[in-house]
Amino acid sequence: MWRKRVLVWLFICFSGFMLLLGRLVQVQLFAAENFSKHHINLLEASVQQRSQEMVLDHGRGNFHDRNGRPIAYEKKAVLILFPFLEKMEWDAERVAKIVDAPRTELIAAVAKSKQPFAFRSPEPLILTNHQMDRINSLKIPGVFAVEQKYPLEKVPAGQLIGITGENTAEIRQRYPGKDLSPQTLIGVSGLEASFDEFLLPEGKSKLVFHVDGDGGPLFGINVKYVDPANPFYPVNIKTTLDIELQKRAEELADQHGIIKGGLVLLDIETNSVLAMVSRPNISQQDPYNQNGITNMMLKEQIMGSVFKTVIAAAAIDYELDNPSRTFDCSRKINGEPDTTYEHGTLNFIDSFARSCNYTFGELAKELSDIDPNLIEEYAEKLSLTGPVGWQGSVYHFDDFKQMADEDIGRVFRKDQERTDKNFVALSGIGQHEVRATPLAVASMMAVIARGGQKEMVRAVSEIEYKNGTVMAEFAQAPLKGEEIAPYTAMKLQQLLREVVINENGTGRWFNDLPYEVAGKSGTAETGIFDHEQQLHNKWFAGYFPYHDPKYALVTVNLDVRSDQGGINPFFADMVKAVHDYNLKQ
């Protein structure tokens, strides 16, 4: 009987031993880098237990402006102190003298810290190159002067650049074949999301110091600077933004109280984004809130009278713009008396300058009679509908889109609307279902200024390797589809200039700017009410200088009352800002 008990006991012990051995084999050999449902890297965790580290750069790729200046971060030379200094004798007095800080502050900061840190007094202490050299020449374990990359609290062009975040499930879904840490930052929105695969880190740059069980330094082992071995990564995304113009545009948006809306500034020659502002801002407390993360400049908006530019283009080509023809601009589009805008009898040019709704409602109906698809065709010719952002083949991406969250815009939603006279007339003045993104409106102005040539809009010009060589280039490229004729573009240029120089034009406020401006205003009813008052989208879109076009500019203030939120001062101040910027160059 006792033999049977011994055998059973031995079997239980042997089984338990084999289970433990199997578990050990699993942990050591098969799950060392992906342990449990939490996907813990046991190798990294074991290293962390016997070392202290200071991350200098998480290794994700960077965004630069067109001149190579960083957009989302800044590098600072700082003093790094490790907490084990509290347990050893070190020359705090000498370090304090070099950095011009009280010795007691250094000692106190080390005493209360459990992790390596950049010394603050009380602001981050920024060192000179000479101070860095002197500190590092002391060769004190746990005391280092290094350059550290600091993400900006508020990133210029935040919605265009986008944000990042940690999401283990999304990492596995997006990159099933890549061995990435669960803590890897991935793009959530904007260019961060579009270029995410290029921006993924090869590894962190960090200072690592090995310590004993009590947290003290293991002498004889120097600090290690760990940096990804690949000399080509992380990459830099060279945007077309100009950081100075971008910052000035954001200042002006806030000065003019733009709560919802923004600005798009394009370089006409290269059809590239120089500045893009979207409001509301990204919330620092809740960055993933869609109200702030959404780029309003890429979302379709009701555009109002700016759309009359499309009707004018078609009217020119179909010879409906006879200078001797007049329109009763004291009437609404439905023919009833207009007691608000009693413009009287106007010809085609004056109708455009004063933005007469009756004229362009009538012209839209006449164009629809010629061909129900005509208005949409001209909207497409002027790049107003359809995506205008750069897209094409890059590496293994057959249809890569720089601005993947761009809306496409439209004129009509249903087929029967193309022949319904009331809907057509409303569409002719940019109401009803007419929608376009501010980016597309800026593109339309650039098309007209270039004489009709359509091009994709770029926000990024190149992807550069770490060593500065070009990994991929986003060359200027035409937009597919038909274009307006050079003659039509010339006539539109004259109409847009008339808006400013006509003594009754809706853009006469811009006649005294340092650059000659051509453009079109728009005030669209949104169908949204605030305390029984209709809210409006207020636009001004144009280009400058008129005789030598270089910039297309769109400003828009969304969902504001009719007696508030005027957009003209915002547009004017941005034109002045561009002029002042060019004077400094």
Side-chain angles (χ1 to χ4, degrees):
M1 186 73 178
W2 63 272
R3 289 183 178 179
K4 185 176 181 181
R5 289 178 179 175
V6 169
L7 290 172
V8 170
W9 178 247
L10 287 175
F11 177 77
I12 292 173
C13 291
F14 180 75
S15 298
F17 175 76
M18 293 304 294
L19 286 172
L20 290 173
L21 182 62
R23 182 63 164 167
L24 181 63
V25 170
Q26 179 197 11
V27 170
Q28 293 288 336
L29 299 181
F30 300 108
E33 297 183 12
N34 191 19
F35 181 69
S36 83
K37 65 180 182 180
H38 300 294
H39 307 284
I40 300 171
N41 190 319
L42 296 176
L43 299 179
E44 289 183 357
S46 66
V47 171
Q48 290 174 0
Q49 281 188 329
R50 49 190 169 82
S51 65
Q52 293 179 351
E53 65 180 40
M54 180 70 182
V55 175
L56 306 178
D57 186 345
H58 283 86
R60 186 171 172 83
N62 309 300
F63 288 92
H64 291 172
D65 83 341
R66 62 175 180 165
N67 297 310
R69 293 169 292 192
I71 292 176
Y73 73 93
E74 58 181 340
K75 281 190 174 181
K76 298 178 180 178
V78 294
L79 174 65
I80 303 296
L81 300 176
F82 280 66
F84 61 69
L85 287 167
E86 186 184 14
K87 300 181 180 182
M88 58 179 283
E89 293 292 330
W90 61 289
D91 198 346
E93 183 67 41
R94 197 169 176 186
V95 174
K97 188 175 181 180
I98 293 173
V99 301
D100 193 23
R103 174 183 177 277
T104 54
E105 286 190 12
L106 291 177
I107 299 297
V110 169
K112 68 180 181 181
S113 178
K114 296 182 180 180
Q115 298 293 332
F117 64 97
F119 178 67
R120 304 169 63 94
S121 181
E123 296 298 319
L125 188 66
I126 310 303
L127 307 177
T128 65
N129 290 335
H130 180 61
Q131 287 174 314
M132 289 180 66
D133 292 339
R134 290 181 65 191
I135 289 170
N136 290 331
S137 67
L138 298 176
K139 296 183 179 180
I140 301 174
V143 180
F144 309 99
V146 297
E147 279 194 334
Q148 187 174 15
K149 192 168 79 173
Y150 286 82
L152 296 179
E153 185 174 336
K154 183 180 178 183
V155 176
Q159 292 89 347
L160 176 64
I161 299 299
I163 62 175
T164 59
E166 294 181 6
N167 189 323
T168 303
E170 180 64 21
I171 289 174
R172 292 201 301 270
Q173 180 179 343
R174 195 181 292 184
Y175 304 113
K178 290 184 179 289
D179 183 20
L180 297 172
S181 164
Q183 287 74 46
T184 300
L185 292 174
I186 57 173
V188 175
S189 67
L191 299 179
E192 289 278 14
S194 298
F195 288 83
D196 190 52
E197 189 163 346
F198 297 101
L199 295 166
L200 289 174
E202 293 281 311
K204 300 176 181 178
S205 297
K206 55 189 177 182
L207 293 173
V208 179
F209 206 100
H210 292 278
V211 295
D212 59 25
D214 296 324
L218 284 174
F219 294 104
I221 302 178
N222 293 325
V223 65
K224 291 184 178 180
Y225 174 70
V226 178
D227 194 37
N230 195 326
F232 297 104
Y233 290 87
V235 301
N236 294 318
I237 307 297
K238 187 176 181 180
T239 71
T240 61
L241 295 172
D242 187 293
I243 196 66
E244 290 187 35
L245 288 173
Q246 178 65 40
K247 289 180 177 179
R248 184 59 182 142
E250 302 213 18
E251 290 172 358
L252 290 174
D254 295 335
Q255 287 176 17
H256 289 284
I258 305 298
I259 297 173
K260 183 180 180 183
L263 168 156
V264 178
L265 178 69
L266 298 184
D267 180 308
I268 289 175
E269 182 181 356
T270 62
N271 219 45
S272 301
V273 179
L274 292 175
M276 182 180 288
V277 179
S278 177
R279 293 290 183 269
N281 270 314
I282 296 175
S283 169
Q284 301 301 316
Q285 291 72 36
D286 185 14
Y288 302 104
N289 188 305
Q290 289 299 313
N291 287 332
I293 199 175
T294 300
N295 190 340
M296 293 296 174
M297 301 302 98
L298 302 183
K299 296 303 170 185
E300 60 179 27
Q301 312 292 348
I302 305 173
M303 57 189 300
S305 294
V306 175
F307 190 74
K308 291 171 183 174
T309 310
V310 173
I311 304 300
I316 290 167
D317 282 358
Y318 284 85
E319 299 180 347
L320 303 179
D321 62 332
N322 191 319
S324 64
R325 182 183 180 186
T326 59
F327 302 85
D328 187 355
C329 289
S330 292
R331 295 183 180 278
K332 300 178 182 179
I333 58 173
N334 60 6
E336 295 180 0
D338 189 340
T339 57
T340 303
Y341 301 105
E342 296 184 29
H343 295 317
T345 302
L346 301 177
N347 63 17
F348 176 75
I349 295 175
D350 287 336
S351 291
F352 190 85
R354 301 188 69 173
S355 201
C356 171
N357 286 341
Y358 179 78
T359 299
F360 286 89
E362 289 298 300
L363 290 173
K365 289 187 285 187
E366 292 174 22
L367 292 168
S368 177
D369 287 339
I370 296 171
D371 183 346
N373 298 312
L374 206 54
I375 297 175
E376 287 170 302
E377 289 175 6
Y378 272 81
E380 193 275 335
K381 285 182 178 183
L382 286 165
S383 79
L384 202 57
T385 56
V388 298
W390 196 99
Q391 57 183 312
S393 297
V394 179
Y395 276 65
H396 57 275
F397 299 100
D398 293 329
D399 188 24
F400 181 83
K401 297 178 181 179
Q402 289 191 358
M403 293 170 276
D405 46 355
E406 176 193 2
D407 286 347
I408 61 173
R410 64 176 183 271
V411 178
F412 298 106
R413 186 186 289 273
K414 300 175 182 177
D415 288 341
Q416 59 267 33
E417 293 174 353
R418 296 180 178 86
T419 54
D420 185 300
K421 297 302 182 184
N422 291 327
F423 288 154
V424 169
L426 285 169
S427 300
I429 63 171
Q431 291 286 168
H432 191 51
E433 292 297 336
V434 176
R435 302 289 188 277
T437 68
L439 180 68
V441 174
S443 175
M444 176 177 72
M445 290 297 160
V447 167
I448 295 169
R450 279 195 300 268
Q453 182 183 353
K454 294 198 303 185
E455 287 190 10
M456 296 182 193
V457 179
R458 299 184 303 167
V460 172
S461 59
E462 293 176 346
I463 304 176
E464 297 178 336
Y465 287 118
K466 183 179 179 180
N467 62 7
T469 58
V470 176
M471 174 186 184
E473 184 177 4
F474 299 91
Q476 290 180 240
L479 269 177
K480 294 180 180 178
E482 294 184 21
E483 299 177 341
I484 59 171
Y487 173 79
T488 309
M490 179 193 70
K491 298 289 285 185
L492 288 176
Q493 291 168 5
Q494 295 170 353
L495 287 175
L496 293 171
R497 180 59 179 159
E498 188 68 25
V499 169
V500 177
I501 63 175
N502 190 300
E503 63 179 1
N504 294 310
T506 57
R508 58 188 179 278
W509 322 105
F510 308 125
N511 210 12
D512 296 326
L513 292 178
Y515 289 127
E516 291 183 326
V517 170
K520 184 71 187 77
S521 61
T523 302
E525 295 180 350
T526 63
I528 302 172
F529 288 82
D530 179 27
H531 296 91
E532 299 184 355
Q533 289 197 40
Q534 171 88 261
L535 298 184
H536 298 78
N537 293 343
K538 297 188 177 182
W539 300 71
F540 198 88
Y543 67 89
F544 57 93
Y546 174 65
H547 292 290
D548 183 22
K550 295 185 182 301
Y551 307 97
L553 174 62
V554 170
T555 53
V556 59
N557 204 358
L558 302 170
D559 296 343
V560 293
R561 294 185 179 185
S562 60
D563 58 345
Q564 298 175 349
I567 202 65
N568 290 344
F570 185 24
F571 186 97
D573 281 350
M574 192 62 211
V575 174
K576 294 174 186 176
V578 173
H579 179 264
D580 293 345
Y581 170 83
N582 286 329
L583 286 179
K584 294 188 298 183
Q585 302 306 304

